[in-house]
Amino acid sequence: MATFNEFPIRTLDELRQFEAAMTLEQRLPERSVLDVFIGSVARQPERTAVTMIMTGAPDEQPRRVNYAQLLGMVRRSANMFHSLGGPRPGVAYMLPSLIETHATLWGAETAGYAVPINFLLQIEHIAALLEASDSRILVALGPHPVLDIWQKALALRERLPGLTLIRVAPPGTPAVERVIDFHTALAAQPEDHLVFGEPGKDDDVAAYFHTGGTTGTPKLVAHTHRGQLTAAFGGAAMGNYRSDDVFTGTFPLFHVAGTIACGLGVFLAGMELLVMSPGGLRTPAMVQGFWRLVAQYKATLVGGVPTSMGAVLEVPLDGADISAVRAGVTGAALLPPAVGNRFRQVTGCNLYEVYGMTEASGLIAYDPFAGASQAGSVGWALPYTRVEVRRFGTDGQLGEVCKRGEVGVVSVSGPHVSPGYRNPSHDAGIFDNGVLNTGDLGYTDEQGRLYMAGRSKDLIIRSGHNIDPVMIENAMAEHAAVALAAAVGMPDGYAGELPVCFLTLRPGALVSDAELHAHAQQHIGERPAWPKHFYIVDAIPVTSVGKIFKPELRCHAAARLVSTVLSEEHQLPNALVEVSAGGTRGLIVNVTLPATAASAMPTIKQALASYLFEARIAIAS
């Protein structure tokens, strides 16, 4: 069984001592994800593995399964998938966070490979993922009053002949022709052994996770058993996970944060996972009741993406006893310092940052929970892995290693790095002989700690000056009226891009444009980074896991610019402007002029030609 907590890791020296004391193989004898559950059962079969909260009501009786029961469910589901799909089947699922989702995920990886699907994607994208992954089985949530998962599942079955559909629905739900009931099929399988021999292990592909956002056809990243185990082990070691910990589960189970950092790593340590509703912190009741539930279930590790943590920190404790909490954890996006400071004020504990990526089996670096948190740092690379910050080469490839404090591109190597995408043509520029080019910007300090500086593709480039949007966002988040800040580049005919900042305000807060500009000039050291405009909005778009979705904001910024140009310079306030990502220059701007303005088309084409977007102009019919 895995050995990782004989002493806590607090410093880089202690991390190196940890690595030198034993090899990874000695510390991590598990060879498959199934071994993780077998090991936890051997240690403490009656320990609660998962507590499932549905509504968060004070008198709710949550559903609980212990490790022995969870292992039985995983074996049953693996046997079911083998009986339906034969050897090494591809099993996709569209499910919210449920106990059944864990049974599906780990059972699929045991029998073949799992394909977790973001059920918020459009049908066309999901169908493309199913075809690209060669998934013959789809597990989906049955009819739901809000989610349209089941409608999508039925439509996908019609599009993809031969797709076996399994429905997760409450007992007594009327049967549907050519649909297998999850619970009935599970009950028909043995729970004490596998019917097909050995499970997947070592370098076998355990899963394909899609990445690439919510538009276009996402890429499929291969995860091996060894890769997932290494990442989960590293997270457990750096997090100083203990078997008596209770970890709040708020990340979705189609994302690596929910499956590896807050899933497999939790189970490897024999901890209790507290699943805070099927929708996590996207469920308003979970946000409003967060601290009461943390107190009620004696959670010791609490976490979520920075936007979610910012939301729960606006909720008063109201006397909730959260003294059991020993640390907070956040990841999937950069943490604004104001949120970390607020967390310490509310809980008395540190909010530690985790850095991960789908292409590295979900985890890359941890700020160790046993150490003193360093604001802005994601800590050090996981045990037995390496992270280097490297310069851009003149050929577009990664160059030499950067000096301390010098911003460069983060590269990763180690057994947790994916072998590549399912379609090898996507590997170019990202995977190179076991080294992963993350595309993330970062730097290290004198202690070797890693600090993130945003995505290279999110850089705002003003007249050749690279501006890190995180610097703007962190400064504006310090303003007392600001709840969330997101900076992007707005097209500019002279500078290429100018920084602008979208803001949401705290409840009841008011702030003037002049105050915001004054705050920016006082707290942002680089004059070129002072935002040209501030846009106060009701909500900033986020992805399904709570990351700020900057492509949409860049589109909004461009649309505002073009609308202003047409209105103020060409007296066309009624022209229709629509902006989308794509095209040869990153943005496509579609302008529809009223018929009365047809003669102005050449002038407008010329005016928009100086901007870094692809302009398409038409006349309304």
Side-chain angles (χ1 to χ4, degrees):
M1 290 178 282
T3 303
F4 55 82
N5 55 6
E6 73 271 26
F7 65 86
I9 297 171
R10 293 164 296 195
T11 66
L12 181 58
D13 284 343
E14 290 179 343
L15 172 57
R16 295 293 176 252
Q17 292 170 22
F18 179 88
E19 293 173 319
M22 290 188 221
T23 66
L24 177 60
E25 289 69 25
Q26 290 171 325
R27 288 196 179 276
L28 183 64
E30 287 85 352
R31 299 179 62 186
S32 71
V33 297
L34 184 65
D35 286 343
V36 170
F37 299 97
I38 293 172
S40 292
V41 169
R43 291 192 300 270
Q44 43 185 7
E46 300 301 318
R47 165 67 164 151
T48 298
V50 183
T51 296
M52 180 77 228
I53 302 173
M54 296 302 292
T55 67
D59 59 348
E60 178 180 357
Q61 296 298 312
R63 181 184 172 196
R64 288 187 166 95
V65 296
N66 61 34
Y67 273 96
Q69 292 167 328
L70 183 57
L71 173 60
M73 292 183 71
V74 171
R75 282 191 177 126
R76 285 181 188 270
S77 65
N79 290 333
M80 173 180 66
F81 295 140
H82 177 83
S83 68
L84 293 171
R88 303 287 301 149
V91 181
Y93 63 83
M94 297 193 303
L95 296 168
S97 297
L98 300 166
I99 292 173
E100 287 81 3
T101 314
H102 280 286
T104 297
L105 168 60
W106 310 119
E109 293 196 357
T110 298
Y113 57 89
V115 183
I117 300 287
N118 178 353
F119 48 79
L120 299 176
L121 291 172
Q122 297 300 313
I123 289 179
E124 292 77 12
H125 297 155
I126 299 173
L129 289 170
L130 295 178
E131 289 185 307
S133 63
D134 194 26
S135 297
R136 305 298 176 85
I137 299 170
L138 175 62
V139 185
L141 183 71
H144 189 275
V146 177
L147 300 175
D148 63 352
I149 295 175
W150 187 239
Q151 293 91 317
K152 288 180 178 177
L154 292 175
L156 288 164
R157 186 178 63 175
E158 296 306 312
R159 287 181 179 226
L160 303 172
L163 184 68
T164 298
L165 189 55
I166 302 175
R167 184 184 66 181
V168 176
T173 303
V176 176
E177 185 179 359
R178 296 190 298 128
V179 171
I180 296 170
D181 178 74
F182 180 88
H183 294 100
T184 302
L186 213 65
Q189 298 294 333
E191 67 175 4
D192 59 347
H193 69 282
L194 298 178
V195 299
F196 53 86
E198 285 197 342
K201 61 182 179 180
D202 298 334
D203 292 328
D204 291 336
V205 172
Y208 288 105
F209 280 80
H210 62 77
T211 186
T214 56
T215 59
T217 301
K219 302 171 183 176
L220 286 164
V221 182
H223 279 196
T224 65
H225 284 263
R226 195 62 177 166
Q228 287 191 346
L229 289 168
T230 301
F233 169 84
M238 296 294 278
N240 190 29
Y241 288 1
R242 305 191 295 246
S243 61
D244 59 351
D245 275 323
V246 178
F247 201 132
T248 59
T250 62
F251 295 94
L253 288 174
F254 54 74
H255 190 273
V256 289
T259 55
I260 307 301
C262 304
L264 195 61
V266 168
F267 299 135
L268 187 68
M271 296 157 57
E272 177 183 347
L273 181 66
L274 178 66
V275 181
M276 301 187 77
S277 86
L281 292 179
R282 295 178 70 88
T283 305
M286 293 299 114
V287 174
Q288 293 304 311
F290 185 82
W291 298 116
R292 174 179 56 79
L293 294 167
V294 165
Q296 182 177 345
Y297 292 95
K298 296 180 172 55
T300 59
L301 299 174
V302 301
V305 297
T307 50
S308 297
M309 295 311 297
V312 300
L313 288 168
E314 294 295 324
V315 178
L317 290 181
D318 282 340
D321 179 5
I322 60 170
S323 58
V325 175
R326 67 179 181 91
V329 56
T330 189
L334 296 180
L335 174 68
V339 176
N341 293 336
R342 177 64 177 158
F343 187 87
R344 278 187 290 274
Q345 293 170 5
V346 170
T347 68
C349 303
N350 290 324
L351 182 58
Y352 295 90
E353 288 193 70
V354 173
Y355 170 48
M357 191 175 183
T358 308
E359 285 82 350
S361 301
L363 289 172
I364 294 173
Y366 249 67
D367 191 7
F369 294 2
S373 174
Q374 180 65 43
S377 173
V378 296
W380 295 285
L382 302 183
Y384 307 102
T385 73
R386 289 293 178 267
V387 169
E388 293 180 321
V389 179
R390 299 168 67 178
R391 294 173 181 164
F392 284 110
T394 56
D395 57 357
Q397 301 298 310
L398 293 176
E400 60 188 23
V401 176
C402 292
K403 299 176 183 178
R404 299 294 193 198
E406 180 184 359
V407 174
V409 180
V410 176
S411 68
V412 185
S413 58
H416 64 323
V417 170
S418 167
Y421 297 106
R422 184 171 174 90
N423 182 346
S425 67
H426 295 151
D427 290 353
I430 299 176
F431 296 102
D432 183 13
N433 293 322
V435 177
L436 169 64
N437 176 353
T438 67
D440 289 326
L441 301 175
Y443 62 94
T444 57
D445 65 11
E446 292 303 318
Q447 288 74 46
R449 284 180 172 272
L450 178 65
Y451 296 76
M452 306 310 299
R455 291 285 293 170
S456 58
K457 66 182 179 183
D458 287 337
L459 276 178
I460 301 166
I461 304 176
R462 177 177 183 169
S463 298
H465 182 88
N466 290 350
I467 298 171
D468 178 9
V470 176
M471 172 176 56
I472 300 172
E473 293 160 357
N474 287 345
M476 298 314 300
E478 294 288 343
H479 194 287
V482 174
L484 185 63
V488 296
M490 182 178 74
D492 182 73
Y494 173 75
E497 289 184 310
L498 292 174
V500 297
C501 192
F502 290 82
L503 305 170
T504 60
L505 302 183
R506 298 183 185 279
L510 295 173
V511 64
S512 69
D513 191 63
E515 288 177 279
L516 293 171
H517 282 281
H519 181 86
Q521 292 170 22
Q522 183 179 356
H523 292 86
I524 299 173
E526 295 182 22
R527 185 184 181 92
W530 294 353
K532 177 72 172 177
H533 299 290
F534 290 99
Y535 301 121
I536 296 175
V537 294
D538 292 334
I540 288 176
V542 295
T543 67
S544 54
V545 294
K547 291 184 182 181
I548 294 173
F549 190 54
K550 291 200 171 178
E552 186 172 336
L553 290 178
R554 282 191 283 269
C555 291
H556 287 334
R560 287 173 183 262
L561 165 76
V562 175
S563 294
T564 299
V565 168
L566 293 176
S567 177
E568 296 182 359
E569 299 180 17
H570 299 277
Q571 290 72 53
L572 291 171
N574 297 322
L576 177 63
V577 178
E578 297 176 310
V579 182
S580 60
T584 57
R585 309 180 86 181
L587 291 174
I588 300 173
V589 176
N590 288 291
V591 177
T592 303
L593 303 174
T596 55
S599 61
M601 181 184 286
T603 303
I604 293 171
K605 278 186 177 181
Q606 184 176 1
L608 298 182
S610 61
Y611 294 96
L612 295 176
F613 52 66
E614 183 179 334
R616 301 174 181 177
I617 304 174
I619 304 299
S621 55

